[in-house]
Amino acid sequence: MELYELEAVEAVTTRPLHQYDTLVVQQITPVIGAEVSGLDLSQELSEEQLADLKNAFLDHHVLVFRDQVLTGEEHKRLAAHFGELRPVNPPPLEGDPYILELRTTVAAADVNGNGWHADGTADEEPSLGSMLYITQVPESGCGGDTLFANMHLAYSMLSPALRGMLDELTAIHDGALAFQGRTPPREDYVIPVSEHPLVVRHPETGRKLLYVNGAYTSRIPQLSQRESRALLDMLIETVPSRPALQCRVRWEPNTLVFWDNRCVQHHATYDYYPFARYGQRVAINGGPLRG
Ligand code: SIN
């Protein structure tokens, strides 16, 4: 690796982490993800537990909780501690307007999120984060893992000269890209398009992060078409080509994962055909994105 890449990794692996009084945190990798134990998420959490949880979320970006038995209402109550609940869009025809069901039926041709992305970045204000609660894992007993990548590190591993240039640019995020020629789910669904800084500052920590993803980012308006395509392809390729940015979460029944959608990309893995998988996701509203 180049010296600036090593320095970027070192800055993350030696970052100061909070001390937690009410929970146990075990890192999944030195740069992203942690398993959290000592909490029953179906219960109302104390102020101290919530403070520890918020610090752990900012420290590790992806938190994994095992053996949780939650109703939809308890799932929503937990998410509401982090912000306003985000309605599912387009709204489900039946069921709870805040709970997105992720159901892979037996022998489905594909699954939601089977590619690196952050959720809804074509929206003007994408979500703060999501809590995905998986209750049914594939009958094969394995498969269906979710991968996560640290976009702070993706940014800081770029050369200082390139970072300086990216700091001045914006990018268009186009919801039509995610449909890839397929018709949107509903006739009344308005496909969102937004322009965001290419390098965003995390609203709570102030740390910079690379804000492009292959599912939604279509163009850098300050560059020619050819330059924009070449630069986006290179930046988007950063995540799949660098395992050092990533962690992989293996699901067990009754696992809840809470990820920070502002600084993390994720990828559902469809390696369990022809088996089924089921979970429910509650998302939290985010605020404006600033460079
Ligand atoms: C998603 O939110 O993109 C789906 C993640 C998953 O099913 O593992």
Side-chain angles (χ1 to χ4, degrees), residues 39-51 53-55 57 70 73-86 128 131 204 258 262 282-285:
L39 290 182
D40 176 352
L41 300 178
S42 70
Q43 301 299 308
E44 185 56 277
L45 301 180
S46 67
E47 290 299 316
E48 293 75 19
Q49 286 172 319
L50 279 171
L53 206 47
K54 286 180 184 181
N55 286 334
F57 184 59
L70 287 179
E73 290 308 313
E74 289 162 350
H75 191 172
K76 288 192 296 178
R77 180 181 65 189
L78 175 68
H81 285 300
F82 291 82
E84 194 183 28
L85 298 186
R86 189 174 187 84
L128 174 154
M131 293 184 177
E204 290 178 78
F258 179 25
R262 301 164 295 186
V282 174
I284 301 148
N285 273 337

Side-chain angles (χ1 to χ4, degrees), residues 100 102 104 111-115 117 119 130 132 134 144-148 251 259 266-269 272 277 281:
L100 175 69
L102 291 178
T104 309
V111 299
N112 275 336
N114 188 10
H117 65 289
D119 291 327
S130 279
L132 175 56
I134 294 283
D145 297 353
T146 307
L147 280 59
F148 296 91
W251 297 95
W259 69 85
H266 59 285
H267 185 317
T269 310
Y272 54 93
R277 175 181 182 261
R281 199 180 79 182

